[in-house]
Amino acid sequence: MSRDLHLAAIQLNSGADPQHNFAQLSVLVGQAAEAGARLLLLPENALFVGQKDRDKLALAEAPGAGRWQRALADLARQWQVYLVCGSFPLRLPACSDQVTASCLVFAPDGQCIARYDKRHLFDVSLESGQSYRESRHFLAGDNAPQSFLCDGVRVGLSICYDLRFPELYRSLADQGVDVILVPAAFTFSTGQAHWEILLRARAIENLAVVVAANQCGEHPNGQTSWGHSMIVDAWGQVLAQTQHDPGLVQCRLDLESQDRRRRAFPVLEHRRP
């Protein structure tokens, strides 16, 4: 049985109107699916970027229910693809001021088959004077690592700031992942400095393909995202990349060659925990 997978990373400039954002991403999902993509990754905050993080509370839905989760499920069903929503705010029981930032995976039948709650929250102050405190309104997830099967290929989940914590990706490697997904809203300054380096490092050290879908351009909160969504192979080579505008990158992976590389260069077997 052939082990190949056609996948795509979708880059967006999301704003404060979920309906507009959904319309834009739907067009790109359709383009990728028509080109043959089977696994499609949306960036972090694909449906909404408001003036403040607190604004996401109004968009939040209960797990497995709600307008936007149904819309994403219908989109996956319409195009018969695995559609990964990079992050979506899910309500917590008996909690009105915090949500989880959850990566949701919808199968071709519309079922949500995997969920990963963002583990590392972006609480930083940059030299530029910008300050971020995700923990004010988001609760760190405790369900890592999470992976799922896409046509026999094991795919691991992460979100944005997770990229700086290699322990998470090593735990995904322990699950036998072939592909790692990194939906993100990396800022322009941190993306320019570290985005490609970190993505290539996570691919090399785990001998896994890394697919990264980033936000791009300026958002209503004044933040500018770096863009440069890309697909990196297990040897650290950038197979496809976009720049600063909305769009998509896609690639057909030959995972049999990745299997051969892992056998010839068994770095994962040489670990000494």
Side-chain angles (χ1 to χ4, degrees):
M1 180 178 177
S2 175
R3 270 175 42 84
D4 63 351
L5 180 64
H6 189 159
L7 44 75
I10 292 175
Q11 182 163 292
L12 299 172
N13 173 236
S14 298
D17 182 352
Q19 189 67 49
H20 176 76
N21 297 331
F22 186 79
Q24 296 298 310
L25 71 85
S26 295
V27 170
L28 292 169
V29 165
Q31 291 176 3
E34 287 180 338
R38 179 67 168 165
L39 173 61
L40 286 72
L41 175 64
L42 303 176
E44 186 178 25
N45 303 324
L47 284 171
F48 183 81
V49 179
Q51 291 282 348
K52 300 177 181 179
D53 274 346
R54 182 177 179 82
D55 296 341
K56 293 188 182 73
L57 298 179
L59 186 75
E61 297 176 348
R67 171 189 179 185
W68 293 113
Q69 290 173 85
R70 287 195 297 271
L72 291 164
D74 289 344
L75 192 60
R77 189 182 302 112
Q78 174 188 349
W79 291 105
Q80 288 294 289
V81 295
Y82 289 83
L83 180 63
V84 183
C85 181
S87 72
F88 187 85
L90 292 181
R91 292 196 195 102
L92 300 166
C95 185
S96 61
D97 60 350
Q98 280 191 313
V99 296
T100 59
S102 300
C103 183
L104 303 176
V105 182
F106 297 93
D109 63 0
Q111 295 298 309
C112 184
I113 60 170
R115 166 186 166 184
Y116 164 68
D117 300 337
K118 188 176 183 180
R119 185 173 181 82
H120 301 99
L121 300 181
F122 195 50
D123 286 1
V124 303
S125 297
L126 303 179
E127 291 182 358
S128 64
Q130 292 175 302
S131 180
Y132 302 85
R133 292 291 180 272
E134 275 192 322
S135 62
R136 287 176 183 161
H137 303 295
F138 290 87
L139 188 70
D142 60 2
N143 66 340
Q146 292 292 321
S147 63
F148 67 98
L149 284 175
C150 174
D151 297 341
V153 176
R154 184 153 294 280
V155 181
L157 301 175
S158 66
I159 303 174
C160 199
Y161 191 47
D162 286 335
L163 189 57
R164 297 182 181 274
F165 301 89
E167 300 88 351
L168 172 61
Y169 298 90
R170 189 59 90 195
S171 65
L172 288 170
D174 288 340
Q175 290 191 349
V177 299
D178 301 295
V179 176
I180 295 170
L181 304 184
V182 186
F186 246 66
T187 68
F188 191 96
S189 59
T190 59
Q192 187 175 38
H194 299 148
W195 173 247
E196 182 176 328
I197 295 169
L198 288 170
L199 291 171
R200 295 177 70 188
R202 298 295 86 85
I204 293 166
E205 66 197 9
N206 295 297
L207 283 178
V209 170
V210 170
V211 182
N214 201 17
Q215 289 280 351
C216 65
E218 186 172 351
H219 306 287
N221 58 8
Q223 173 184 319
T224 300
S225 294
W226 173 239
H228 291 82
S229 298
M230 66 179 68
I231 300 170
V232 183
D233 76 6
W235 206 240
Q237 299 180 63
V238 178
L239 301 177
Q241 179 179 190
T242 188
Q243 298 297 315
H244 294 290
D245 298 318
L248 62 91
V249 289
Q250 54 188 316
C251 184
R252 182 176 294 278
L253 301 177
D254 174 10
L255 292 167
E256 290 181 355
S257 66
Q258 179 169 303
D259 294 339
R260 290 192 296 271
R261 176 165 284 154
R262 284 179 168 179
R263 289 192 296 269
F265 197 79
V267 62
L268 296 176
E269 298 175 20
H270 293 161
R271 292 168 57 200
R272 295 292 180 266

